[in-house]
Amino acid sequence: MTHSSHHSNQSNVPTRFNRTTPPPAFIIVAFACVYFFWGSTYTAIRIGAAQLPPFVLTGVRFCVAGAILLFCCRLRRLSILLPLRTLVTLSMIGLLLLTVGNTTLVYAEKSIPSGLASLIFAATPLFIALIEMALPHGEPLNLRGWLGILLGFLGMVTLLGPTLHEVFTVGLLTNTTRLIAILVCLGGALSWAIGSLYSRHQRLNVDSFVSSAWQMIFAGFFNLLLATMFGQWPQAHWNVSTFGSLTWLITGGSLIGYSSYIYLLEHVPVAKVATYAYINPIVAVLLGLLLLHERMQAAEFVGMALIILAVALLTSATIKRKSVGGKAQQEPMSGEQLQAD
């Protein structure tokens, strides 16, 4: 998810790919960066969350990443001075995506494995599709989309089954922390879905990198303010692992991963780019197993398979547009609807 920041506004991301075909090697490297770096952020968050409070970790990450990205935008001679109304909108998007969406992920990963957290966040496209349908002038899904929603729901129930079973058989008190972490993670995924849809409907005339930089800066400063208000600074332990975690999140997740994502959207059909939504959780689970020695139960692996299949179906589903000139239009769901990382 993310996580981010790869977690960024897409309302300004170009949805039509460039007809000039770049070297295949560039495309392969860009896909590898999006798949690996975005998937690895869950592992890095798990390492950082062990010794840094949520608002400290996310505040430092997004302030630094946002400042670097804004500086790069200035070097490219992009306009970084925006109207006040636009800045307010970007701050709201940053609040939903990066303050609520990403900080809840950090909080959850203090208590649950990074692989499990990544799979819960993988359900974000399902939330987006359901919310989109419920909105006025929403976009109803076709049969494949509905099958994706159903499989996603079954996958989530299967994934969370072991924890819920322990709660009802062993007792609520002994599993409260884990259950709360899962619920918080689900709330973060929902906030990410709401923020993505809000971003999509704003249609701001701002460069994607400039927009993302301001979102990160606003969210970063707000998170640092909350860290100060809640007295989280004395709880932060700074050492090699926490600096390594932050460095990886800033460079790999927020800069390399997101830049590769933008590059792909400019040169590759968005339906192919959207495959990251079901590759990232696989990467996160594998890294959790290899590097953090996390263990998942058989039921959780079944849930993972169902959720990944559900997201694959949803990303390839067509949505029924309102008729134009008497003809109904159908098109694949766009990356603006699908970004969940």
Side-chain angles (χ1 to χ4, degrees):
M1 255 103 225
T2 61
H3 6 247
S4 307
S5 161
H6 57 264
H7 302 147
S8 303
N9 171 36
Q10 296 194 71
S11 59
N12 318 299
V13 173
T15 55
R16 300 190 180 199
F17 58 98
N18 194 326
R19 297 293 176 180
T20 303
T21 306
F26 287 11
I27 298 296
I28 292 172
V29 170
F31 266 113
C33 286
V34 173
Y35 287 167
F36 175 72
F37 284 109
W38 277 8
S40 67
T41 55
Y42 292 95
T43 307
I45 286 174
R46 175 74 169 172
I47 294 172
Q51 302 183 71
L52 292 178
F55 288 123
V56 173
L57 175 59
T58 55
V60 173
R61 173 191 176 181
F62 292 127
C63 274
V64 175
I68 294 174
L69 186 55
L70 201 63
F71 178 71
C72 292
C73 290
R74 192 69 191 92
L75 290 180
R76 291 176 56 202
R77 300 191 176 183
L78 296 172
S79 176
I80 62 174
L81 299 178
L82 306 176
L84 179 60
R85 184 174 180 179
T86 301
L87 291 174
V88 170
T89 300
L90 293 178
S91 69
M92 287 299 299
I93 296 170
L95 180 69
L96 288 167
L97 296 182
L98 306 179
T99 294
V100 180
N102 202 271
T103 305
T104 52
L105 179 63
V106 176
Y107 174 85
E109 287 201 45
K110 284 183 171 291
S111 306
I112 62 176
S114 60
L116 178 58
S118 72
L119 291 169
I120 294 174
F121 248 80
T124 304
L126 309 181
F127 286 140
I128 291 176
L130 288 172
I131 296 172
E132 184 70 33
M133 286 190 302
L135 293 174
H137 310 295
E139 299 160 344
L141 287 170
N142 65 359
L143 182 59
R144 181 183 295 184
W146 277 111
L147 181 59
I149 294 290
L150 178 60
L151 283 178
F153 176 76
L154 291 176
M156 190 60 64
V157 171
T158 306
L159 183 69
L160 304 182
T163 297
L164 294 176
H165 176 72
E166 289 179 7
V167 167
F168 289 109
T169 56
V170 179
L172 180 62
L173 293 179
T174 57
N175 296 277
T176 300
T177 303
R178 183 181 174 92
L179 181 61
I180 290 176
I182 289 174
L183 294 176
V184 167
C185 199
L186 280 170
L190 179 60
S191 178
W192 191 269
I194 294 171
S196 298
L197 288 172
Y198 175 72
S199 166
R200 178 184 174 219
H201 289 290
Q202 293 309 302
R203 310 207 180 275
L204 301 173
N205 185 26
V206 184
D207 178 86
S208 298
F209 289 103
V210 175
S211 168
S212 300
W214 279 115
Q215 288 173 44
M216 285 190 269
I217 288 173
F218 282 127
F221 275 114
F222 188 63
N223 289 358
L224 292 182
L225 178 63
L226 290 175
T228 304
M229 289 175 59
F230 289 108
Q232 290 189 349
W233 291 103
Q235 304 168 30
H237 300 285
W238 302 97
N239 50 42
V240 174
S241 64
T242 54
F243 278 113
S245 169
L246 275 169
T247 301
W248 189 268
L249 290 170
I250 291 167
T251 56
S254 297
L255 299 177
I256 297 175
Y258 184 68
S259 298
S260 300
Y261 176 75
I262 294 294
Y263 177 80
L264 288 173
L265 281 180
E266 292 174 346
H267 295 92
V268 180
V270 72
K272 293 183 179 180
V273 183
T275 55
Y276 83 89
Y278 47 94
I279 300 296
N280 285 168
I282 298 175
V283 172
V285 169
L286 291 177
L287 289 177
L289 291 172
L290 293 173
L291 301 180
L292 304 178
H293 307 294
E294 296 175 347
R295 293 291 176 262
M296 293 179 62
Q297 300 184 33
E300 292 175 327
F301 277 109
V302 173
M304 176 179 73
L306 289 173
I307 289 175
I308 291 170
L309 178 58
V311 175
L313 286 171
L314 203 55
T315 57
S316 62
T318 54
I319 50 180
K320 299 176 182 177
R321 294 282 184 180
K322 300 297 181 182
S323 62
V324 177
K327 290 187 177 181
Q329 293 183 316
Q330 289 193 338
E331 61 183 47
M333 293 186 73
S334 71
E336 294 161 358
Q337 294 168 289
L338 295 170
Q339 179 162 351
D341 206 272

